[in-house]
Amino acid sequence: GAIASFEAEVPGAQIAAPGRVTVPWLKYRLKARVGADNDIITVSIDSLHRDEACALVNQVVEGYQQFQRKMQQNSATELYGIIDKDRRRYEKEYEDALQAQDDYRKQNTGLGPELTNVDAMRTGLAALQEDLQVAERAVLSAEADLATAETLKDQPGVLAQMRIDQGDGNMALVPAPTPLSTPQAEASMLAQIEALELEREDLLIELQPTHWRVEAIDRTIAASRARMEELRRIDRDELDKFGTALLGALRQRVAFAKIAAEQLRSQADEAQTALYDVDGHAVEFGKLTARAERAKRALDATYSELQRINIDPDAGKKFLKMNSSVICVQLSKTGNSDSTE
């Protein structure tokens, strides 16, 4: 190709006179050298016919570049075809994997989105089991409080001092009554009664017990004693009511705690059964999912590779960068040479 192009460009060329330019002639006279520290290929021919030598070298370089472009295009096309074949194969594998997932769902009609939510189901079951443990501890605590109250039901004052709470450690389950006959109140009333009795003794030195002043003090003392006893009775009645109310509230608390625990136990059992039913299917479905994901990753990789390949030789993508420098040498008859690059 290069020789024919040269002969067309320079008819009657004398560079190879008396003959014509041939491949053996070119191999003997054409020199090519690669730069020591760059990718420049220097091509040269020693000849007395400088212009013809330059034209011939240019045709050789152009022919080589055309050959390289063709090889690059062929290599890229071949590589594109290989990767595109892989793409079609991975597309089929991915479609088959998705179809296998859909078929598995159809074959197991009782299973739905939970096939892909097994981890969420396990987390939900763990939360229910934890709540159940808390509820069971609440039952034990309520039963212990009830047993204590049953033992001390004849001592409501002791129960009032225990302050059994609602189970949250904050508010009392049944507020204890506020006593009327407190030690301070009784001490004050007893002091008043003692003072009246001393006053009565002083009066009896001069007066008879039937004297109206003495009788008035007697009535006051009796009223104070009656009031103090009434307050004690009221306190006893309030404590008895408190004890009865506390026992009733504790029994109700135990019943409610057992109901809550039973509801959680039922929910946990249902969640456990559902997980057992799904878990085996989920393992198989997970294999199908992994198969689809592998095919998808492979498919994405092939698309990425295809985007990197350019099979258009005019698109500017080159596999080989080649710079050419043509050296044309004019030889003198004396054997000296002048070179032009």
Side-chain angles (χ1 to χ4, degrees):
I3 294 176
S5 298
F6 168 72
E7 290 178 343
E9 180 182 354
V10 186
Q14 298 299 310
I15 190 170
R20 55 189 296 270
V21 177
T22 61
V23 173
W25 186 90
L26 270 180
K27 286 183 178 181
Y28 180 76
R29 288 172 173 76
L30 188 69
K31 298 177 182 178
R33 184 178 68 256
V34 180
D37 55 356
N38 54 49
D39 59 353
I40 297 177
I41 300 175
T42 302
V43 182
S44 62
I45 290 179
D46 293 338
S47 174
L48 295 173
H49 304 278
R50 188 187 66 171
D51 293 340
E52 293 182 5
C54 288
L56 180 56
V57 167
N58 285 335
Q59 290 298 335
V60 170
V61 170
E62 178 62 26
Y64 179 74
Q65 290 177 331
Q66 290 179 358
F67 172 77
Q68 284 292 309
R69 285 195 293 269
K70 184 176 181 181
M71 289 297 296
Q72 292 163 8
Q73 182 179 8
N74 291 341
S75 298
T77 302
E78 182 179 358
L79 180 60
Y80 188 96
I82 293 173
I83 297 178
D84 192 55
K85 182 179 179 180
D86 288 339
R87 175 191 62 79
R88 292 193 295 271
R89 176 166 61 88
Y90 289 135
E91 278 184 348
K92 186 176 186 309
E93 289 182 4
Y94 183 52
E95 291 172 358
D96 291 345
L98 293 180
Q99 185 62 48
Q101 286 181 312
D102 189 51
D103 292 342
Y104 192 85
R105 285 195 183 96
K106 292 177 180 179
Q107 292 170 5
N108 301 274
T109 54
L111 302 174
E114 64 271 16
L115 277 173
T116 55
N117 293 329
V118 177
D119 290 340
M121 293 178 68
R122 291 196 184 100
T123 302
L125 175 60
L128 282 173
Q129 291 173 335
E130 184 176 349
D131 291 344
L132 177 58
Q133 291 177 355
V134 173
E136 288 175 339
R137 288 196 294 268
V139 171
L140 294 176
S141 177
E143 289 178 336
D145 288 343
L146 177 59
T148 301
E150 292 281 5
T151 302
L152 299 173
K153 63 182 178 181
D154 295 330
Q155 303 177 59
V158 177
L159 286 176
Q161 293 176 3
M162 290 178 61
R163 193 184 179 278
I164 297 176
D165 58 52
Q166 296 181 353
D168 56 6
N170 294 320
M171 297 180 62
L173 183 61
V174 176
T178 302
L180 300 176
S181 179
T182 63
Q184 295 82 358
E186 287 197 358
S188 177
M189 295 180 71
L190 288 173
Q192 293 176 3
I193 291 173
E194 185 178 356
L196 289 171
E197 288 178 342
L198 290 174
E199 183 181 355
R200 180 177 183 277
E201 290 177 1
D202 291 341
L203 288 175
L204 288 175
I205 296 175
E206 299 178 357
L207 302 174
Q208 295 294 320
T210 59
H211 191 275
W212 67 270
R213 291 180 62 188
V214 176
E215 290 179 346
I217 290 177
D218 288 341
R219 287 193 297 273
T220 302
I221 291 173
S224 295
R225 292 185 182 278
R227 176 58 180 166
M228 189 167 58
E229 186 58 35
E230 175 67 13
L231 292 178
R232 289 173 179 172
R233 185 191 63 77
I234 293 174
D235 285 346
R236 287 194 299 271
D237 291 344
E238 291 298 319
L239 285 174
D240 288 341
K241 293 178 182 178
F242 164 76
T244 301
L246 181 61
L247 284 172
L250 284 171
R251 294 188 185 101
Q252 189 177 49
R253 176 181 159 194
V254 169
F256 286 160
K258 287 183 175 179
I259 291 173
E262 187 58 35
Q263 289 176 342
L264 285 171
R265 188 176 294 107
S266 177
Q267 293 174 9
D269 289 344
E270 291 177 359
Q272 182 76 72
T273 301
L275 181 59
Y276 284 155
D277 291 341
V278 173
D279 211 10
H281 293 288
V283 171
E284 186 62 30
F285 191 79
K287 294 179 181 178
L288 296 175
T289 301
R291 172 186 163 191
E293 290 175 350
R294 286 195 301 270
K296 181 65 165 59
R297 288 194 297 269
L299 182 60
D300 290 342
T302 55
Y303 272 117
S304 178
E305 287 296 319
L306 288 174
Q307 290 175 354
R308 293 172 53 189
I309 298 174
N310 186 357
I311 61 174
D312 182 2
D314 298 325
K317 185 178 180 69
K318 298 289 191 294
F319 289 91
L320 171 65
K321 179 180 181 182
M322 185 185 73
N323 295 323
S324 62
S325 175
V326 178
I327 297 179
C328 301
V329 180
Q330 176 73 46
L331 295 179
S332 66
K333 293 182 179 179
T334 61
N336 296 327
S337 65
D338 297 323
S339 65
T340 303
E341 183 175 345

